[in-house]
Amino acid sequence: MAFVNGFGLNSVKHYSVEVESCATTRQYCSGNNARLYSQKCTIRSSQNADVVSASPLLSDTDLTSSSSNDHLKSSVHATDSSASNHGASRGVALVEYLKSKKIIVDKALEESVKSNMPETDLICEAMSYSLMAGGKRIRPILVLAACELFGGSESSALPSAVAVEMIHTMSLIHDDLPAMDNDDFRRGMPTNHVKYGEDIAILAGDAMLAKSFEYVARNTKDVSPERVLRVIALLAESVGAEGLVGGQVMDLQNEGNPDVTLNQLSWIHHMKTAALLRVSVAAGAIIGGANNDDVERVSEFANKIGLAFQIADDVLDVTQTTEELGKTAGKDEAVNKATYPRLLGLEKSRQEAERLIQEAKECLAPYGGRSETLLALADFIIARKN
Ligand code: GRG
């Protein structure tokens, strides 16, 4: 089985698990990979009811552990719920909000890539493989939550939500390529190039990037053309030299460099990771009808949660296992990457992430209880386990 080979045959000895939720049949998987394989099986039957039950939207622990859920609930309850009818307000836990939005996003993603002729079957299959491989869907959910904050409709924001997840997924496909991070394992599955070959993986990423812009342009309804154009321009900006690509270039160039400063690292994280969270929140706000000051304010919020997101990611790379992460753990250290834990240590990194989240929340103070969903999402970003 390619999945097991990709992960390393040495690790396949310890136990054998029956996977009950795999579409209509039962499948068996042995070894350390069994839990991940089980998750993926459930996700693959995800058009139906149990999409969230075993999906890594939050890790299994997040969805089942009461302490983790309590944290998320309290982050919602801690805000002024009396002021709002929006989103995750009035005691509806963030976990429930995330689950329900993930179902909506997953369905839209599933429908967004369809082959219309035999010649495109392979490339569409490769695109769907990574797009539907799971993932927490944080960026699309940020689009929806930001749109809600300004009173916009979910249907008008959904195409942009799909687009940011497409861009995110294509960046993961390219990030995993042998020429980049050279990883075999992503979202608990073999990476795209392991499954389809390097040539198809590159092209699947390219096609998905192109599709993201087309998707917003064709499918955004009930929003002025000016606003749709602004969103498309911001999306394009977020992937370019002053966005994901620029951040990735500096990240690669600094591998093995022991002299990277915190300022340089923060620049990389802002470009490589925060840029996409920023455009997610900004796009949702623009579509929801926000004015320029609002867009600036929520973009600042997203900048800060974006940097905190990557710091949390760096911490998780050190503290979690490959199985928990669904991607190779300990990779940063293995390739001698500059990370917050390496520069500051684990505890100070966590503190820095928390400080950023507090600062981010302050940006939303003018919205009072209306922003409680975004506030809770900010907490989730550093509380997550994968
Ligand atoms: C965009 C044209 C273009 C090229 C890509 C490879 C690259 C340039 C950039 C790398 C961007 C990258 C992979 C940043 C890491 C961001 C990050 C922390 C990803 C993990 O996000 P999660 O935890 O993952 O949301 P899931 O799987 O849950 O979606």
Side-chain angles (χ1 to χ4, degrees):
M1 176 165 45
F3 175 80
V4 172
N5 287 337
F7 193 65
L9 282 168
N10 287 344
S11 60
V12 190
K13 290 192 191 104
H14 311 299
Y15 52 86
S16 181
V17 172
E18 187 178 357
V19 178
E20 297 191 348
S21 56
C22 194
T24 51
T25 57
R26 290 181 166 210
Q27 293 196 12
Y28 298 85
C29 179
S30 62
N32 286 340
N33 301 317
R35 179 174 157 262
L36 287 163
Y37 193 65
S38 151
Q39 286 184 342
K40 294 304 135 190
C41 286
T42 308
I43 281 170
R44 276 156 183 255
S45 62
S46 72
Q47 299 96 313
N48 303 319
D50 68 348
V51 57
V52 174
S53 61
S55 96
L57 160 69
L58 315 176
S59 64
D60 287 352
T61 326
D62 285 319
L63 285 172
T64 52
S65 126
S66 60
S67 62
S68 176
N69 284 353
D70 284 350
H71 168 86
L72 296 170
K73 282 175 190 158
S74 63
S75 71
V76 173
H77 287 299
T79 56
D80 173 17
S81 59
S82 62
S84 172
N85 275 324
H86 293 271
S89 65
R90 298 237 179 103
V92 179
L94 180 67
V95 172
E96 292 308 313
Y97 182 84
L98 290 170
K99 280 185 191 175
S100 67
K101 297 303 175 197
K102 180 172 157 56
I103 292 172
I104 291 162
V105 167
D106 277 348
K107 185 164 178 288
L109 287 168
E110 180 115 45
E111 286 163 5
S112 69
V113 178
K114 292 260 189 266
S115 176
N116 294 317
M117 58 194 90
E119 292 84 350
T120 59
D121 283 355
L122 174 62
I123 191 66
C124 289
E125 183 192 313
M127 291 160 75
S128 291
Y129 173 79
S130 292
L131 201 54
M132 302 314 297
K136 296 176 288 298
R137 312 306 193 197
I138 287 184
R139 295 155 191 81
I141 292 172
L142 281 170
V143 176
L144 301 182
C147 181
E148 264 175 34
L149 169 59
F150 296 101
S153 71
E154 185 167 276
S155 59
S156 64
L158 202 49
S160 294
V162 165
V164 294
E165 188 63 24
M166 284 180 172
I167 293 172
H168 170 55
T169 303
M170 75 74 57
S171 80
L172 299 179
I173 295 174
H174 282 199
D175 192 49
D176 291 332
L177 288 168
M180 306 244 183
D181 277 4
N182 192 16
D183 228 310
D184 288 347
F185 197 49
R186 172 72 73 175
R187 291 176 163 172
M189 312 253 284
T191 44
N192 201 286
H193 65 272
V194 167
K195 171 100 175 151
Y196 293 99
E198 214 176 324
D199 47 1
I200 298 299
I202 292 169
L203 292 167
D206 294 344
M208 210 164 345
L209 183 59
K211 187 77 181 171
S212 69
F213 304 123
E214 180 196 339
Y215 199 83
V216 175
R218 284 194 196 281
N219 296 292
T220 308
K221 304 279 189 274
D222 305 323
V223 179
S224 73
E226 287 82 2
R227 284 185 182 262
V228 178
L229 261 183
R230 271 175 78 191
V231 168
I232 294 172
L234 284 178
L235 284 170
E237 189 183 301
S238 77
V239 299
E242 292 179 24
L244 273 77
V245 168
Q248 179 77 350
V249 169
M250 289 308 289
D251 196 26
L252 292 171
Q253 287 209 317
N254 281 300
E255 264 179 24
N257 174 4
D259 301 322
V260 179
T261 65
L262 210 52
N263 271 350
Q264 288 169 317
L265 185 58
S266 154
W267 190 91
I268 292 170
H269 285 0
H270 270 113
M271 297 300 151
K272 205 181 83 166
T273 303
L276 205 42
L277 275 79
R278 192 168 60 241
V279 70
S280 301
V281 173
I286 291 168
I287 285 167
N291 65 32
N292 289 345
D293 287 346
D294 289 326
V295 174
E296 211 166 291
R297 205 174 284 130
V298 297
S299 298
E300 189 54 20
F301 160 82
N303 235 359
K304 290 177 187 296
I305 63 166
L307 180 54
F309 189 98
Q310 184 59 55
I311 296 174
D313 216 66
D314 290 355
V315 169
L316 291 172
D317 184 71
V318 179
T319 57
Q320 303 297 101
T321 65
T322 295
E323 286 166 332
E324 285 161 338
L325 291 178
K327 62 181 178 182
T328 313
K331 195 73 200 288
D332 294 339
E333 176 137 13
V335 298
N336 221 346
K337 227 177 222 190
T339 63
Y340 268 73
R342 210 179 88 189
L343 267 63
L344 292 182
L346 270 179
E347 204 36 52
K348 282 214 166 113
S349 300
R350 288 195 183 103
Q351 285 167 8
E352 178 61 4
E354 271 179 32
R355 188 189 66 76
L356 284 160
I357 293 298
Q358 289 317 314
E359 276 189 19
K361 288 172 160 185
E362 283 160 23
C363 299
L364 302 188
Y367 308 112
R370 281 165 55 211
S371 61
E372 62 187 359
T373 307
L374 285 176
L375 296 176
L377 280 163
D379 282 332
F380 169 68
I381 272 167
I382 54 167
R384 68 199 169 92
K385 298 284 185 287
N386 69 4

